[in-house]
């Protein structure tokens, strides 16, 4: 398969893994706010961590079909995930406090901010 076609397939699978992880992220975000009255930043961060675990497994086995050992791949993945989680929190906070966006659009904005960077880094370095 040509490199460009392979990248397109990986991008599509990465999108699917990201959607699955985002569903976990947003679901936990809503549950933690409604059930435990957590502040949006903490609920979102908790959801992002849970979503990252789902995304790691799907990307390791499905998207990139990695042959890298789990210790190496997972440490790289979660290093980048930690950076992306911090970016998520920063963008969410900025969007809510400086742009005066409500939670839902602010969270969508924060999620979109990390998608393409995550794909490029994970494709080129993590897996």
């Amino acid at each position: 398969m040509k490199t460009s076609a392979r990248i397109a397939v990986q991008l599509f699978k990465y999108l699917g893994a990201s959607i699955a992880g985002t569903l976990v992220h947003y679901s936990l975000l809503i549950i933690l706010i409604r059930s435990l009255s957590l502040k949006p930043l903490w609920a979102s961060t908790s959801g992002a961590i849970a979503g990252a675990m789902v995304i790691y497994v799907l990307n390791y086995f499905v998207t990139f079909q990695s042959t890298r050992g789990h210790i190496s791949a997972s440490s790289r993945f979660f290093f980048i995930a930690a950076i992306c989680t911090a970016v998520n929190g920063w963008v969410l906070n900025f969007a809510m406090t400086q742009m005066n966006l409500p939670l839902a659009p602010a969270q969508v904005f924060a999620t979109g901010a990390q998608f393409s960077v995550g794909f490029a880094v994970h494709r080129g370095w993590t897996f």
Side-chain angles (χ1 to χ4, degrees):
M1 182 182 308
K2 289 180 72 173
T3 301
S4 60
R6 189 173 52 147
I7 292 171
V9 168
Q10 287 177 334
L11 184 60
F12 182 74
K13 289 178 180 180
Y14 186 81
L15 176 62
S18 296
I19 289 170
T22 300
L23 288 173
V24 169
H25 177 172
Y26 287 16
S27 297
L28 191 56
L29 166 71
I30 292 165
I31 290 166
L32 291 174
I33 289 173
R34 290 187 179 170
S35 298
L36 300 177
S37 300
L38 281 183
K39 293 187 180 202
L41 179 59
W42 294 111
S44 178
T45 300
S46 299
I49 292 167
M53 289 188 270
V54 169
I55 293 168
Y56 170 77
V57 170
L58 291 173
N59 281 327
Y60 185 89
F61 290 106
V62 179
T63 304
F64 301 109
Q65 299 172 353
S66 184
T67 58
R68 185 181 300 274
H70 279 294
I71 292 173
S72 176
S74 65
S75 62
R76 288 173 182 223
F77 178 85
F78 286 106
F79 173 72
I80 299 305
I83 292 170
C84 286
T85 300
V87 168
N88 175 77
W90 182 84
V91 172
L92 179 71
N93 187 57
F94 180 84
M96 291 178 69
T97 61
Q98 303 303 309
M99 298 171 67
N100 296 316
L101 291 177
L103 174 60
Q107 184 61 70
V108 170
F109 182 62
T111 300
Q114 56 183 307
F115 179 80
S116 61
V117 172
F119 176 74
V121 174
H122 289 313
R123 184 178 189 283
W125 183 65
T126 303
F127 298 105

